[in-house]
Amino acid sequence: MTGIIESISLPAGEDSPATASITLPPAELAASSRRALREAEKSSTPARRRARERTAAARPARRSAAGRTSGRRAVEASTKPAAPRKPLAARLAQKAFPPIVMLAVGALLIGTNVPAVALLDPEATPAAQSFSSVSASATGGVEEAPTREPAQLFDSSEHADAATPAATRDDWTVTEYVEVVRERYGTRDLSYTTTGAGAVRWPFPNTVQISSGYGNRVAPCYGCSTYHQGLDLAPGNGTPIFAIADGVVTQKVEGGAYGNHVYIEHVVNGQKVVSLYAHMQWGSSPLVTGQTVSAGDFIGLVGATGNVSGAHLHLEIQLDGIRIDPYQWLISNAS
């Protein structure tokens, strides 16, 4: 590329407001464009020259940064694992599955909406006639006698006299479950007599009502057991309770399923016996753990604490750690 510079305008000095003009001789006008550019750069202002130098110095750094970025992208592209290719069977199944589903849906719609008789040929020979013709040809053209229809195999008129007589209302009775349980478990004799004295005695000095014996029963309340492991005596709310024999208080508890209750350990006939007095009134028992009691000492008052249906004393007897029937034990040992 070549060019001719006829004149260069330079800013004038501070004393002269006009613009200075330099006219080149004709010989220099014929110089190459490269030389003219160098001369023009030398004659330009220092600020513009410094800007050009900074631009030229920044170009190699940009090229190197661009080279590093493109190289890093190329390395990442080369090290990135290729996506796994699906097996041929999986690709074929993926393409064939939608048509199969559509065919199945269409067959289902046809099978559920079109009557079965619509697919039959109305001019075809019935299967019964075709079968009879085949049978006739097999027997030499002689048709066999038709068999009786299934509906004619049984005639109700022939067996009318053998019909079972209908049951009447009077032949049935209804028994409540409570009555059934009472008949099974309520026939036990729970009567007893007591003198209110002796080394072993009943918890009350006189005979009282026994509301529930030991063993199976109908649960009288929510949370009550169906297998009763004690003896329920119901002399009335607030009736005093007395110790059945000499012993030591091993535990006193307030609250829970047994309500307010006390355990007393005895020795009867050389065996360790533990008696439990449950469902007593709040604060009615003066006993403390470790206290020694004698037969007939005051234990507490009959109450309705814990899981109960009414005020009563729940008495348990444990012989060597095993619960036994308190009624049978008292009958055998109490005076």
Side-chain angles (χ1 to χ4, degrees):
M1 181 179 67
T2 61
I4 300 174
I5 302 175
E6 295 180 355
S7 63
I8 300 175
S9 297
L10 298 175
E14 296 180 358
D15 297 336
S16 177
T19 304
S21 177
I22 300 176
T23 304
L24 299 176
E28 293 186 5
L29 291 176
S32 66
S33 62
R34 189 180 300 275
R35 182 180 178 184
L37 290 174
R38 285 199 301 269
E39 293 298 335
E41 184 177 357
K42 292 179 181 179
S43 61
S44 62
T45 60
R48 294 178 60 185
R49 186 168 57 253
R50 286 194 297 271
R52 290 193 187 94
E53 291 175 356
R54 286 195 299 269
T55 304
R59 286 174 183 170
R62 293 174 185 171
R63 291 194 188 99
S64 61
R68 288 196 300 271
T69 304
S70 60
R72 184 167 61 253
R73 291 177 180 174
V75 171
E76 292 177 355
S78 61
T79 56
K80 184 177 181 181
R85 184 178 179 82
K86 292 184 178 180
L88 178 61
R91 285 179 287 158
L92 293 177
Q94 186 177 4
K95 292 182 179 180
F97 184 72
I100 294 175
V101 172
M102 296 301 296
L103 290 174
V105 172
L108 180 62
L109 292 176
I110 294 175
T112 55
N113 294 300
V114 177
V117 295
L119 302 178
L120 298 178
D121 186 5
E123 298 180 357
T125 305
Q129 295 182 7
S130 300
F131 181 76
S132 61
S133 61
V134 171
S135 301
S137 60
T139 55
V142 180
E143 296 185 0
E144 297 179 357
T147 59
R148 299 179 63 184
E149 296 294 333
Q152 300 176 357
L153 295 178
F154 179 79
D155 188 1
S156 59
S157 60
E158 298 177 359
H159 306 276
D161 53 348
T164 304
T168 61
R169 183 183 180 90
D170 297 335
D171 297 335
W172 301 91
T173 58
V174 177
T175 304
E176 295 183 0
Y177 178 68
V178 175
E179 297 297 331
V180 173
V181 175
R182 285 176 180 173
E183 291 178 1
R184 182 176 180 182
Y185 304 110
T187 57
R188 291 173 294 180
D189 183 12
L190 298 178
S191 61
Y192 70 98
T193 58
T194 180
T195 60
V200 178
R201 61 190 68 179
W202 289 77
F204 302 101
N206 56 326
T207 303
V208 300
Q209 178 186 0
I210 297 178
S211 59
S212 182
Y214 182 90
N216 293 305
R217 66 171 183 177
V218 177
C221 66
Y222 178 79
C224 296
S225 62
T226 56
Y227 188 86
H228 197 214
Q229 302 192 73
L231 185 68
D232 288 350
L233 298 101
N237 190 26
T239 303
I241 306 168
F242 303 99
I244 63 172
D246 299 343
V248 178
V249 178
T250 58
Q251 192 175 4
K252 179 182 178 182
V253 182
E254 293 185 351
Y258 282 138
N260 302 327
H261 56 284
V262 173
Y263 287 91
I264 300 178
E265 183 176 312
H266 319 271
V267 177
V268 178
N269 299 327
Q271 291 180 315
K272 184 176 70 173
V273 179
V274 177
S275 59
L276 165 65
Y277 310 81
H279 307 307
M280 295 186 294
Q281 291 183 1
W282 289 98
S284 65
S285 178
L287 303 181
V288 294
T289 303
Q291 179 179 346
T292 301
V293 297
S294 301
D297 284 353
F298 177 73
I299 302 297
L301 300 178
V302 173
T305 58
N307 295 340
V308 295
S309 57
H312 69 280
L313 168 66
H314 175 81
L315 177 67
E316 287 187 9
I317 298 295
Q318 299 179 15
L319 185 62
D320 294 331
I322 301 174
R323 292 185 178 93
I324 62 174
D325 187 352
Y327 177 82
Q328 296 296 336
W329 189 85
L330 288 172
I331 288 291
S332 301
N333 294 277
S335 58

